């Protein structure tokens, strides 16, 4: 690769090589580097353009103030001259050549050296998370006598109250991000239209004030719309029914002040336009492509009723999420509800429309080739432009975190390594033909810490797979947790690692939504279904033998750790229910601060929620749980696991292990 192109890429945080999952150096194709630089607004299409861009990059004064200054509490920072700090509470501080270490946490302004920039003071670390356990829940999979074809926020409040009453300290959800309002309704919670707003599919219609105040005839019509629960969740059927019901109830609702929250009004405008033109704004008439365009203002006026309707739905989501939070607090949950933050957004969705100025237009986020995905991964998601984030004071990132954390006792960050770098695939390229783009991890992680601190929330980073050591160090240094999964906890020979050697600074689980459930693993369901879907790269007999060997390795570890008793009948296979219980005993035996238990595992479901590599070939995100909320509360298998984990992680703190939410005895979080 041309040296000038390498230097230019380095100056803009674009990788010209990377280390693959086998720790081999892989050179990035020059055309990929040129394409990604173009997404950052840098012309590298000719030697002359490269030279000009490199000259401009080298002319930047590295001693000047950056567009956003991120300062860690307790630390000073040299300045190019005297300045004035305007604090977010209205106060002012004069500084002389240095930012002092006693500035308060928060979002301030700094005037210095002829510039006025954003100054963010972030905490050194969060409080140490408590040692507790809880449930991992795909909310759509719940059901009750009052829910409409899928789990809703009323089910979640009931489940959370029950879980907290039995000793659980948290409930970890799938993302509840908003999807487009037009049909077909997106099923995947990880390709949202917006990460700032909530999916109204999760509303419980009968818990709204409008339902309570409607006349009996209207309520009867609404009640008749309720769809039954099917073998698979039908999002289109549920949304059709709920939207109709909520439209009938909207006249009974108080008016929403559309001037109070401009971001909400803009989102509601996108929803109204999407109903008319489809969920991808890029296919709309050109005059509607920018939210501030005159044609959009005119459409907002014409569609005022629909804009008000969609804004009202978000107010209902806030009210019902508040009820969930109240249920967690009423039972003394040390963490509460942990929301999941998807790694990106559908570029054609609401955030892609509203936040286009800080997104890289045309990029697709994914992952390079690895042992499981030889062709790489293209998730089709949009990515932040790191330069635009800094230029705008990280306002869009901050606001996204604030809205998500408003109802959260914790936040799980999907693909947390993306705060350091993301795999960008330029237009026209295959998934393997991308490269990494670097982000300012100090800013991204620091702002996350600040907003989590203000919300009183714990942070869990999904750091599975091949991640740089800096990611693990960065999380640990801020008292944020990583992720440990039983299936991946192995030594170089493939043997399962004893749970006592698992990391302390982690959320430990048996599986994830993308992996086999515990019963599915034990029965070989993951091999059977992948063979049926033609997803195996080797002969099915080989895969069955590998699965059988993995099962034996697991049983060997559980027996060696005295977690699975020997069968009284020599040579007899242990009961799968006993093995599943032993897996949860392994979680309980680990030092990991948080333990996550999946209802799919405990209720005996062999099918995993999502099958990577499929779209419609497998019922991804459509599998309901085999038991209702009421049945879960009395299920013997559930009771067995609850008793096991509450004995291992009692709610009451002890002198040996404070375990309180605000405990800080272990500042390093090691």
């Amino acid at each position: 690769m041309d040296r000038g192109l390498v230097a230019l890429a380095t100056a803009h945080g674009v990788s010209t090589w990377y280390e693959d999952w086998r720790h081999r150096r892989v050179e990035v194709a020059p055309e990929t580097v040129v394409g990604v630089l173009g997404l950052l607004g840098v012309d590298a299409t000719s030697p002359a353009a490269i030279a000009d861009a490199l000259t401009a990059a080298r002319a930047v004064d590295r001693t000047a103030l950056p567009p956003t200054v991120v300062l860690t509490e307790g630390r000073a920072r040299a300045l190019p001259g005297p300045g004035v700090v305007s604090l977010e509470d209205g106060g002012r501080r004069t500084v002389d050549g240095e930012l002092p270490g006693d500035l308060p946490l928060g979002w301030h302004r700094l005037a210095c050296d002829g510039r006025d920039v954003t100054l963010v003071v972030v905490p050194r670390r969060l409080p140490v998370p408590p040692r507790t356990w809880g449930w991992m829940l795909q909310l759509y999979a719940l059901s009750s006598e009052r829910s409409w074809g899928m789990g809703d926020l009323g089910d979640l409040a009931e489940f959370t109250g029950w879980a907290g009453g039995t000793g659980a300290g948290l409930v970890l959800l799938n993302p509840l991000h908003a999807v487009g309002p037009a049909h077909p309704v997106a099923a995947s919670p990880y390709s949202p239209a917006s990460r700032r707003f909530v999916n109204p599919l999760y509303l419980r219609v009968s818990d709204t004030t409008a339902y309570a105040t409607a006349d009996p005839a209207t309520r009867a019509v609404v009640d008749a719309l309720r769809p039954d629960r099917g073998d698979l969740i039908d999002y289109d059927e549920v949304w059709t029914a709920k939207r109709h019901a909520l439209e009938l109830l909207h006249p009974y609702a108080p008016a929403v002040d559309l001037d109070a929250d401009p971001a909400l009004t803009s989102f509601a405008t996108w929803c109204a336009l999407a109903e008319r033109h489809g969920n991808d704004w890029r296919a709309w008439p050109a005059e509607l492509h920018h939210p501030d365009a005159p044609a959009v203002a005119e459409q907002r006026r014409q569609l005022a009723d629909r804009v008000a309707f969609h804004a009202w739905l978000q107010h209902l989501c806030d009210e019902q999420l508040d009820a969930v939070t109240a249920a967690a607090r009423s039972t003394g949950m040390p963490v509460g509800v942990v929301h999941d933050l998807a790694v990106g957004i559908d570029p054609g969705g609401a955030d892609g429309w509203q936040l286009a100025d800080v997104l890289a237009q045309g990029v697709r986020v994914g992952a390079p080739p690895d042992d499981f995905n030889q062709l790489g991964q293209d998730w089709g998601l949009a990515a932040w432009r790191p330069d635009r984030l800094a230029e705008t004071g990280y306002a869009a990132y901050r606001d996204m975190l604030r809205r998500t954390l408003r109802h959260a006792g914790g936040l799980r960050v999907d693909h947390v390594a993306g705060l350091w770098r993301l795999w960008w695939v330029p237009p026209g390229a295959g998934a393997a033909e991308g490269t990494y783009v670097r982000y300012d991890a100090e800013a991204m992680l620091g702002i996350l810490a600040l907003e989590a601190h203000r919300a009183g929330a714990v942070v869990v980073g999904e750091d599975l797979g091949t991640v740089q050591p800096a990611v693990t160090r960065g999380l640990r240094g801020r008292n944020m947790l990583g992720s440990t999964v039983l299936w991946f906890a192995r030594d170089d020979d493939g043997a399962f690692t004893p749970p006592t050697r698992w990391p302390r600074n982690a959320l430990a689980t048996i599986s994830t939504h993308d992996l086999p459930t515990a019963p599915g693993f034990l029965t070989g369901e993951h091999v059977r279904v992948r063979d049926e879907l033609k997803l195996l790269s080797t002969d099915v007999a080989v895969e069955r033998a590998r699965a059988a060997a993995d099962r034996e390795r697991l049983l060997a570890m559980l027996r060696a750790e005295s977690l699975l008793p020997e069968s009284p009948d020599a040579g007899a296979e242990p009961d799968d229910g006993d093995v599943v219980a032993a897996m949860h005993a392994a979680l309980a035996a680990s030092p990991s601060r948080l333990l996550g238990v999946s209802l799919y595992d405990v209720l005996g479901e062999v099918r995993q929620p999502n099958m990577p590599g499929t779209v419609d070939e497998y019922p991804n995100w459509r599998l309901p749980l085999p038991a209702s909320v009421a049945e879960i509360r009395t299920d013997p298998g559930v009771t067995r696991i609850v008793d096991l984990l509450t004995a291992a992680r009692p709610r009451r703190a002890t002198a040996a292990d404070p375990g309180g939410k605000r405990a800080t005895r272990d500042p390093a979080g090691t």
Side-chain angles (χ1 to χ4, degrees):
M1 189 179 296
D2 175 78
R3 289 184 178 180
L5 181 58
V6 171
L8 183 62
T10 301
H12 290 279
V14 178
S15 298
T16 57
W17 67 274
Y18 65 94
E19 189 176 88
D20 72 4
W21 84 98
R22 291 177 177 168
H23 305 294
R24 300 176 304 185
R25 180 181 173 118
V26 177
E27 302 291 337
V28 178
E31 53 269 27
T32 294
V33 174
V34 171
V36 170
L37 282 169
L39 295 172
L40 290 167
V42 180
D43 185 2
T45 56
S46 69
I50 292 173
D52 290 344
L54 192 54
T55 298
R58 288 170 173 167
V60 174
D61 184 359
R62 303 299 175 186
T63 65
L65 283 177
T68 299
V69 175
V70 178
L71 181 70
T72 301
E73 64 173 335
R75 297 177 185 170
R77 176 182 175 132
L79 294 174
V84 175
V85 176
S86 299
L87 301 172
E88 66 178 355
D89 65 2
R92 290 167 62 87
R93 293 275 297 272
T94 300
V95 294
D96 187 11
E98 182 181 77
L99 286 173
D102 63 348
L103 289 173
L105 297 176
W107 294 84
H108 316 301
R109 300 294 301 178
L110 169 64
C112 178
D113 197 30
R115 303 185 63 192
D116 189 306
V117 302
T118 299
L119 168 63
V120 194
V121 182
V122 302
R124 294 179 62 193
R125 57 178 63 93
L126 297 176
V128 176
R131 295 185 73 247
T132 189
W133 71 277
W135 296 98
M136 298 190 301
L137 180 64
Q138 305 291 325
L139 178 53
Y140 58 80
L142 279 183
S143 65
S144 70
E145 293 183 354
R146 297 183 63 198
S147 53
W148 288 29
M150 62 181 282
D152 61 28
L153 294 171
D155 291 332
L156 178 59
E158 180 184 348
F159 179 86
T160 300
W162 165 79
T166 60
L170 63 98
V171 175
L172 170 60
L173 301 174
N174 59 287
L176 303 187
H177 304 318
V179 299
H183 295 280
V185 177
S188 173
Y190 290 96
S191 298
S194 175
R195 292 185 291 180
R196 299 178 300 155
F197 298 97
V198 180
N199 189 345
L201 269 169
Y202 290 111
L203 286 172
R204 173 170 285 181
V205 174
S206 59
D207 280 357
T208 63
T209 302
Y211 179 88
T213 58
D215 61 81
T218 299
R219 287 202 300 270
V221 174
V222 167
D223 292 342
L225 292 170
R226 179 182 180 270
D228 294 328
R229 172 185 167 182
D231 294 333
L232 296 176
I233 293 165
D234 187 333
Y235 292 97
D236 284 290
E237 180 186 35
V238 173
W239 178 230
T240 296
K242 285 194 177 181
R243 179 177 55 201
H244 188 188
L246 291 163
E247 287 169 345
L248 292 172
L249 296 173
H250 189 210
Y252 297 90
V256 175
D257 182 1
L258 295 177
D259 295 327
D261 188 344
L264 171 59
T265 300
S266 182
F267 169 75
T269 301
W270 179 86
C271 290
L273 290 170
E275 288 181 319
R276 175 171 289 187
H277 300 289
N279 288 332
D280 189 339
W281 66 267
R282 296 168 298 182
W284 295 357
E287 64 268 21
L288 302 178
H289 282 192
H290 197 282
D292 295 330
V296 171
E298 175 59 23
Q299 288 287 295
R300 181 181 296 119
R301 186 187 65 79
Q302 294 181 18
L303 299 171
D305 288 345
R306 299 308 295 171
V307 174
F309 173 72
H310 287 287
W312 175 60
L313 296 187
Q314 291 304 309
H315 279 269
L316 294 180
C317 289
D318 283 339
E319 290 174 1
Q320 295 193 7
L321 283 168
D322 283 342
V324 173
T325 301
R329 288 175 177 166
S330 69
T331 62
M333 276 188 166
V335 175
V337 177
V338 180
H339 287 266
D340 199 349
L341 182 67
V343 67
I345 54 163
D346 176 354
D351 284 358
W353 185 66
Q354 291 180 265
L355 306 177
D357 292 345
V358 292
L359 297 172
Q361 297 301 317
V363 73
R364 306 185 317 278
V365 173
D370 60 27
D371 193 27
F372 298 101
N373 300 278
Q374 299 288 335
L375 299 179
Q377 298 180 65
D378 179 354
W379 302 329
L381 303 175
W384 301 115
R385 269 187 60 162
D387 55 335
R388 292 279 175 80
L389 279 180
E391 291 165 3
T392 55
Y394 290 87
Y397 176 59
R398 174 200 64 203
D399 294 346
M400 176 194 71
L401 292 173
R402 280 185 181 173
R403 287 186 182 271
T404 305
L405 286 163
R406 189 161 49 183
H407 305 287
L411 186 67
R412 176 191 179 272
V413 181
D414 190 42
H415 191 63
V416 74
L419 301 184
W420 280 258
R421 64 177 188 174
L422 271 176
W423 182 259
W424 284 24
V425 180
E433 299 168 326
T435 190
Y436 283 109
V437 172
R438 186 176 66 249
Y439 290 77
D440 185 341
E442 179 185 2
M444 300 293 281
L445 202 63
I447 291 169
L448 172 59
L450 173 61
E451 296 305 320
H453 168 82
R454 290 185 155 182
V458 302
V459 174
V460 178
E462 187 271 298
D463 59 346
L464 302 172
T466 304
V467 298
Q468 296 176 302
V471 175
T472 303
R473 291 196 303 268
L475 293 174
R476 183 185 300 121
R478 301 257 186 192
N479 279 341
M480 297 177 180
L481 303 182
S483 300
T484 293
V485 175
L486 172 63
W487 301 148
F488 296 151
R490 310 208 190 189
D491 62 22
D492 292 340
D493 297 324
F496 284 88
T497 304
T500 52
R501 290 165 47 195
W502 294 1
R504 185 181 186 191
N505 196 58
L507 163 70
T509 65
I510 289 174
S511 187
T512 75
H513 54 253
D514 289 332
L515 294 172
T517 66
F521 173 83
L522 294 175
T523 60
E525 171 68 9
H526 57 302
V527 176
R528 186 201 67 77
V529 71
R530 282 171 171 79
D531 178 48
E532 181 180 291
L533 296 173
K534 311 300 182 188
L535 294 176
L536 296 178
S537 57
T538 57
D539 185 77
V540 64
V542 173
E543 291 296 326
R544 285 178 183 144
R546 183 179 300 172
D550 271 350
R551 175 187 167 102
E552 290 307 312
R553 291 189 186 99
L554 174 65
L555 297 181
M557 183 274 286
L558 295 174
R559 286 174 176 138
E561 296 300 304
S562 300
L563 300 172
L564 180 67
E566 292 286 349
S567 172
D569 299 326
E573 282 291 307
D575 177 76
D576 281 357
D578 291 338
V579 178
V580 170
M583 292 183 194
H584 289 91
L587 292 184
S590 79
S592 300
R593 290 197 173 274
L594 298 184
L595 310 178
V597 181
S598 168
L599 280 167
Y600 287 102
D601 292 341
V602 180
L603 294 174
E605 175 60 71
V606 299
R607 301 171 298 175
Q608 64 194 66
N610 181 56
M611 184 68 64
T614 67
V615 180
D616 297 322
E617 305 92 328
Y618 183 86
N620 296 315
W621 315 113
R622 294 177 174 87
L623 298 175
L625 287 167
S628 67
V629 175
E631 291 166 338
I632 288 168
R633 298 171 68 155
T634 59
D635 184 89
V638 171
T639 301
R640 181 180 187 181
I641 299 304
V642 167
D643 291 345
L644 187 159
L645 289 168
T646 51
R649 296 287 173 95
R651 183 75 62 81
R652 185 184 299 275
T654 65
D657 179 10
K661 185 174 182 181
R662 296 292 179 262
T664 56
R665 206 182 92 182
D666 181 13
T670 54

